[in-house]
C-alpha cells in the first residue's frame, strides 16, 4: 500500500516559485489497479518521480506499506519494493538489453529467463537480448524494454508512466495482460499506471484525475470513467468526498 | 618455456587472455628477454640482429592463424625500447594479439616503448588486439609509449583494437597509417585514466587511394585528476571516406582535450569528425538507481558498458 499525504512540490522558474503538485493526498491500496489520468502538464509524471524519490516534496509525506519513505533515497525505495517505468526511457551506450534486465532482476538471470520478460512485452527476444540499449533502438522498442526491466525487477508497487506511448504495433490487450499477470504474481502488490488511453482506463479498479497539480477526482472506474469519455477537457469539480480538498489555491 | 611467477601469469591473462601456452605462433617477452618463442609453418618469428625486437613474417594466403606477442615487466626500473615489424603477406587473414602488462612495486619508473610496424599486403586482412595494463603500488611509474605504423596495400583491411583500462601512469601513443586504394582501416580505442595519470593519443592517417576508408573511434573515461588528449588527424588525398570520433566521460576533476584534424585535398574526399565530452547523464544514474543500484554501483555499470 502506498500513501501520499498532503504532497506539494514546486520548482523555481524565472526567480518565482512554480507550484507543480498542490497538496495531493492519495492512497493506493494493495491488489489494486489505479490509473492516473488528466491533461498534459497536469503533474502526472512529477507525481511518479516524487513516488520514486527522484524529486523530493516540499511538504507532505509518503508511506510505503506503513513505512515513512519521504526521506529515503531512490535506491532505498527500489529495495523496499518500488518500481518505476519512465515516460521517456534512458539510453545507455554499451549496456545490452540482457545487462539491463539482469541489473533489474538483481541476479544473473540466464539469457533464457531474461528472454521471457522480453517476450511478454512483445519483443522477439532472440533479436534483442544482445542489442545495446542505445540510439539504435526505436522509441517503441525502448519503451517495451523499459517495461520489461520493471517486470524483471518485480515490485510491490509499480508505476508505469504512459506505457502505451509508442507501442502502436502491439495490441493493448497484451500490455494489459502483462500488467494483470504481474499483479497476480506478486502478492499484495498494486500497479499505478499513468495513461490517457480509454482501454487502459477501462481495466482500472480506481481512476485518479490530476489537473494543474491538483487531484480533482478519485473514485472507482464506474464512477469516474463515464464522465471522462469524450469530455476529458471538461472534467467537473469533484462532487464526492473521496478527494481531499486542495489547500493550495493559487 | 620459462616458468612464470604468479604476477607474471596474472599480467599475461590481463593483456592477452592467456592462461597457458597460446596456440599458433607466439613470443612472450618477460623483463626484457624472450621467455618462449614458437613459429609455425606459415608464421615465422625471428629476433632482429640488434636484439631489440622481432620480425614477424606471415606467408601470403595464411588463413585463420594467430600470433601472440605479449610483454610483461615485473622488475622495477626497467626501461626498454622494442621494434616489432609485421609483414602480412598478400591475401593472408590473421589475428595478432599484443599487449603489455607492467607490475611495478618498486621505487623506480618502469617503461616499455614498443614500436609496431604493420606492412599489410594486397587484399590481406589483419585484426590486431592490444591491451595495456599496470599494477603494483610502488612509487615508480608505469609508463607505456606505443607507436603504431600501418602501411596498407590495395584492398587490405586492418582492424585495430587498443585498450588501456587500468594502472598505466603515463602514455604517449602515436598511430600513423597510410592507405592505398580500397584499403579499409578501423580503429577502436578504449581508454580509462585515473589518479594523476596522463594519456595522449595522436593519430595521423593519410589516405592515398581511391575508395579507401578510415574510421577511428575512441571511447574514454577520465576520472580523479587524470588528463587525456585525443588528437586525430585524417588527410584525404583521393576519393575516400574518413571518420574520427571521440566520445568521452569525465568524472571528478578529470580533463580531456579533443582536437579534430581533417584535411581534404580532393573534392571527393569525405571526412567527418565527432566529439562529445561530458559527465555521466543524471537520468542514466537515476534509472539504474530505480532498479536498486546505489549511485556508485550505477556509475560502475555505466562506465563498464561504455568501455566494453
Ligand atoms: N523540474 C522541473 N522544472 C520546471 N518545470 C517542471 C519541472 N518538472 C515538471 N515541470 C512542469 O510541471 C508541469 C507538470 O509536468 P509533468 O509532471 O511532466 O506533467 P504530465 O506528466 O502530467 O504531462 C509542466 O508544466 C512541466 O513543465
Ligand atoms: Mg508525463
Amino acid at each position: 500500500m502506498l500513501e501520499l499525504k498532503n504532497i506539494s512540490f514546486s520548482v523555481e522558474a524565472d526567480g518565482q516559485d512554480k507550484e507543480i503538485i498542490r497538496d495531493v493526498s492519495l492512497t493506493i491500496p494493495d491488489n489494486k489497479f489505479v490509473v492516473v489520468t488528466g491533461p498534459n502538464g497536469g503533474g502526472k509524471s512529477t507525481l511518479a518521480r516524487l513516488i520514486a524519490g527522484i524529486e523530493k516534496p516540499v511538504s507532505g509525506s509518503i508511506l510505503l506499506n506503513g513505512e515513512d519513505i519521504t526521506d529515503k533515497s531512490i535506491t532505498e525505495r527500489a529495495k523496499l519494493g518500488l518500481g518505476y517505468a519512465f515516460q521517456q526511457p534512458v539510453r545507455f551506450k554499451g549496456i545490452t538489453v540482457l545487462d539491463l534486465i539482469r541489473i533489474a532482476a538483481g541476479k544473473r538471470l540466464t539469457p533464457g529467463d531474461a528472454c521471457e520478460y522480453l517476450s511478454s512485452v512483445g519483443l522477439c527476444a532472440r533479436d534483442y537480448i544482445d542489442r545495446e540499449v542505445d540510439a539504435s533502438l526505436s522509441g517503441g522498442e525502448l519503451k517495451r524494454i523499459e517495461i520489461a526491466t520493471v517486470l524483471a525487477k518485480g515490485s510491490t508497487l509499480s508505476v508505469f508512466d504512459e506505457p502505451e506511448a509508442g507501442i502502436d504495433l502491439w495490441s493493448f490487450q497484451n500490455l494489459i495482460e502483462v500488467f494483470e499477470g504481474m499483479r497476480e504474481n506478486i502478492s499484495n502488490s498494486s500497479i499505478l499506471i499513468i495513461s490517457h488511453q480509454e482501454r487502459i482506463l477501462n481495466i482500472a479498479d480506481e481512476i485518479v484525475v490530476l489537473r494543474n497539480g491538483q487531484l480533482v477526482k478519485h473514485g472507482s472506474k464506474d464512477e469516474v470513467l463515464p464522465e471522462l469519455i469524450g469530455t476529458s477537457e471538461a472534467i467537473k469539480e469533484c462532487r464526492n468526498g473521496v478527494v481531499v480538498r486542495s489547500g493550495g489555491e493559487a | 618455456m620459462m616458468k612464470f611467477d604468479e604476477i607474471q601469469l596474472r599480467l599475461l591473462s590481463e593483456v592477452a587472455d592467456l592462461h597457458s601456452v597460446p596456440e599458433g605462433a607466439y613470443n612472450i617477452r618477460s623483463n626484457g628477454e624472450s621467455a618462449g618463442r614458437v613459429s609455425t609453418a606459415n608464421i615465422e618469428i625471428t629476433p632482429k640482429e640488434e636484439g631489440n625486437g622481432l620480425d614477424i613474417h606471415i606467408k601470403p594466403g595464411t588463413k585463420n592463424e594467430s600470433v601472440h606477442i605479449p610483454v610483461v615487466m615485473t622488475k622495477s626500473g626497467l626501461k626498454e625500447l622494442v621494434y616489432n615489424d609485421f609483414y602480412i603477406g598478400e591475401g593472408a587473414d590473421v589475428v595478432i594479439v599484443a599487449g603489455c602488462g607492467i607490475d611495478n612495486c618498486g621505487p623506480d619508473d618502469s617503461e616499455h616503448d614498443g614500436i609496431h610496424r604493420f606492412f599489410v599486403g594486397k587484399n590481406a586482412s589483419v585484426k590486431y588486439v592490444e591491451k595495456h595494463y599496470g599494477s603494483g603500488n610502488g612509487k615508480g611509474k608505469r609508463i607505456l609509449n606505443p607507436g603504431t605504423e600501418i602501411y596498407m596495400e590495395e584492398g587490405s583491411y586492418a582492424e585495430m583494437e587498443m585498450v588501456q583500462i587500468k594502472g598505466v601512469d603515463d602514455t604517449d601513443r602515436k598511430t600513423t597509417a597510410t592507405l592505398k586504394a580500397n584499403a579499409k582501416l578501423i580503429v577502436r580505442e578504449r581508454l580509462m585514466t585515473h589518479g594523476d595519470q596522463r594519456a595522449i593519443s595522436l593519430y595521423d592517417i593519410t589516405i592515398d587511394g581511391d575508395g579507401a576508408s578510415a574510421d577511428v573511434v575512441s571511447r574514454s573515461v577520465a576520472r580523479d585528476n587524470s588528463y587525456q588528449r585525443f588528437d586525430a588527424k585524417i588527410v584525404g588525398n583521393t576519393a575516400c571516406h574518413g571518420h574520427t570520433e571521440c566520445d568521452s566521460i569525465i568524472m571528478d576533476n578529470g580533463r580531456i582535450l579533443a582536437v579534430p584534424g581533417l584535411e581534404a585535398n580532393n573534392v571527393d574526399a569525405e571526412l567527418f569528425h565527432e566529439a562529445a565530452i561530458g559527465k555521466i547523464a543524471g537520468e542514466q544514474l537515476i534509472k539504474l538507481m530505480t532498479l536498486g543500484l546505489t549511485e556508485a554501483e550505477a556509475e560502475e555499470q555505466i562506465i563498464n558498458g561504455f568501455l566494453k
Side-chain angles (χ1 to χ4, degrees):
Chain A
M1 183 168 78
L2 180 79
E3 295 163 87
L4 306 181
K5 294 187 173 169
N6 306 98
I7 296 290
S8 292
F9 178 71
S10 54
V11 293
E12 223 186 77
D14 306 326
Q16 285 195 321
D17 259 6
K18 184 181 171 201
E19 272 203 292
I20 296 174
I21 297 293
R22 306 164 193 233
D23 195 22
V24 166
S25 293
L26 174 66
T27 297
I28 314 286
D30 287 345
N31 304 312
K32 288 274 192 259
F33 224 128
V34 178
V35 177
V36 177
T37 189
N40 284 328
K44 302 182 296 298
S45 293
T46 304
L47 196 67
R49 292 169 72 84
L50 284 161
I51 293 170
I54 299 164
E55 306 285 3
K56 289 283 158 80
V58 175
S59 60
S61 56
I62 305 177
L63 282 74
L64 182 66
N65 301 322
E67 183 179 355
D68 191 330
I69 59 165
T70 318
D71 295 321
K72 296 233 184 284
S73 68
I74 302 170
T75 309
E76 288 169 313
R77 294 182 197 207
K79 287 184 170 156
L80 286 170
L82 265 179
Y84 172 40
F86 288 30
Q87 181 174 4
Q88 270 147 357
V90 186
R91 296 174 201 265
F92 297 89
K93 283 181 187 160
I95 294 186
T96 63
V97 173
L98 178 61
D99 293 335
L100 203 59
I101 289 179
R102 279 179 172 164
I103 291 170
K107 57 183 180 214
R108 270 193 87 75
L109 290 179
T110 65
D113 289 338
C115 280
E116 286 193 16
Y117 294 111
L118 292 176
S119 305
S120 66
V121 293
L123 290 176
C124 173
R126 213 173 346 109
D127 298 346
Y128 286 93
I129 198 86
D130 292 324
R131 290 272 300 269
E132 289 185 17
V133 188
D134 63 8
S136 71
L137 294 171
S138 76
E141 290 167 333
L142 194 64
K143 201 73 189 179
R144 294 185 199 199
I145 289 162
E146 177 75 2
I147 295 169
T149 63
V150 175
L151 296 179
K153 179 183 176 292
S155 302
T156 51
L157 184 101
S158 303
V159 182
F160 295 90
D161 198 345
E162 301 200 16
E164 76 281 2
I167 309 199
D168 37 7
L169 293 174
W170 185 41
S171 84
F172 281 117
Q173 198 50 44
N174 285 332
L175 185 64
I176 287 161
E177 277 166 21
V178 165
F179 291 144
E180 279 173 344
M182 183 185 183
R183 195 183 45 179
E184 278 159 20
N185 285 338
I186 303 170
S187 60
N188 298 325
S189 65
S190 37
I191 295 181
L192 184 75
I193 299 182
I194 294 168
S195 178
H196 301 284
Q197 279 298 324
E198 204 182 305
R199 269 179 281 189
I200 288 182
L201 288 164
N202 237 319
I203 58 145
D205 297 311
E206 296 178 9
I207 294 175
V208 174
V209 182
L210 202 62
R211 196 178 50 178
N212 287 331
Q214 282 171 302
L215 200 158
V216 294
K217 194 169 248 339
H218 179 192
S220 70
K221 177 191 77 179
D222 293 340
E223 261 177 284
V224 181
L225 190 55
E227 290 180 42
L228 291 178
I229 289 172
T231 61
S232 59
E233 288 299 305
I235 301 164
K236 294 245 163 59
E237 267 297 318
C238 146
R239 311 165 298 177
N240 56 31
V242 178
V243 174
V244 174
R245 281 198 60 80
S246 162
E249 306 285 352
Chain B
M1 194 166 97
M2 188 193 267
K3 273 233 182 294
F4 294 109
D5 62 29
E6 263 185 47
I7 296 171
Q8 290 172 316
L9 287 173
R10 180 168 53 79
L11 293 176
L12 280 172
S13 89
E14 285 284 350
V15 301
D17 283 327
L18 283 183
H19 306 286
S20 60
V21 174
E23 275 183 33
Y26 68 87
N27 181 80
I28 300 174
R29 183 182 175 96
S30 173
N31 290 325
E33 295 167 28
S34 176
R37 176 183 311 136
V38 164
S39 296
T40 64
N42 293 324
I43 302 175
E44 193 188 6
I45 305 180
T46 48
K48 285 188 187 293
E49 274 175 17
E50 309 78 42
N52 59 348
L54 303 166
D55 284 325
I56 293 136
H57 286 271
I58 297 167
K59 280 192 186 156
T62 303
K63 299 276 182 204
N64 301 323
E65 285 198 42
S66 64
V67 188
H68 283 78
I69 51 155
V71 173
V72 294
M73 292 169 81
T74 55
K75 268 189 202 149
S76 184
L78 202 62
K79 276 198 174 68
E80 58 183 17
L81 172 60
V82 176
Y83 297 87
N84 292 328
D85 291 330
F86 298 85
Y87 299 89
I88 300 150
E90 268 189 45
D93 184 354
V94 290
V95 174
I96 298 169
V97 180
C100 181
I102 302 181
D103 184 86
N104 189 354
C105 293
D108 303 315
D109 293 353
S110 296
E111 177 172 334
H112 175 85
D113 299 344
I115 313 295
H116 286 181
R117 294 195 297 172
F118 295 85
F119 301 91
V120 190
K122 222 171 164 177
N123 298 321
S125 168
V126 59
K127 177 164 182 177
Y128 174 70
V129 181
E130 177 191 275
K131 284 189 191 163
H132 287 164
Y133 174 79
S135 61
N137 44 18
K139 265 220 168 85
K141 284 187 172 173
R142 290 141 302 189
I143 303 170
L144 283 168
N145 296 321
T148 309
E149 298 171 23
I150 311 161
Y151 302 92
M152 301 185 69
E153 292 298 325
E154 287 177 14
S156 64
Y157 174 87
E159 188 180 329
M160 325 287 289
E161 185 184 320
M162 309 203 264
V163 182
Q164 181 175 311
I165 300 294
K166 234 186 138 197
V168 178
D169 295 298
D170 205 292
T171 298
D172 262 305
R173 174 192 291 281
K174 186 154 203 279
T175 307
T176 60
T178 56
L179 283 71
K180 292 195 181 158
N182 297 316
K184 183 171 181 183
L185 172 67
I186 291 177
V187 179
R188 295 287 175 265
E189 183 182 81
R190 299 278 181 275
L191 177 65
M192 180 159 86
T193 52
H194 49 102
D196 292 317
Q197 294 169 0
R198 180 183 149 280
I200 291 177
S201 186
L202 308 180
Y203 288 86
D204 197 339
I205 294 168
T206 306
I207 307 181
D208 280 333
D210 283 344
S213 70
D215 182 25
V216 178
V217 177
S218 166
R219 275 201 187 167
S220 74
V221 176
R223 49 202 322 172
D224 304 326
N225 295 308
S226 63
Y227 175 78
Q228 298 177 10
R229 186 171 138 207
F230 176 75
D231 201 325
K233 184 177 177 202
I234 296 190
V235 180
N237 293 324
T238 53
C240 64
H241 196 88
H243 173 245
T244 65
E245 182 179 336
C246 164
D247 197 350
S248 303
I249 293 177
I250 40 173
M251 300 168 75
D252 315 308
N253 300 310
R255 292 180 300 138
I256 294 180
L257 170 65
V259 187
L262 302 178
E263 183 180 326
N265 295 319
N266 183 300
V267 73
D268 288 318
E270 288 185 333
L271 308 177
F272 301 87
H273 175 80
E274 296 174 71
I277 305 174
K279 61 174 185 281
I280 295 176
E283 287 287 298
Q284 291 183 332
L285 290 170
I286 289 171
K287 170 63 192 171
L288 297 187
M289 281 152 64
T290 64
L291 296 177
L293 300 193
T294 63
E295 187 169 349
E297 288 165 345
E299 226 171 63
E300 197 183 306
Q301 289 284 350
I302 292 164
I303 300 286
N304 283 348
F306 184 72
L307 291 176
K308 197 162 53 189

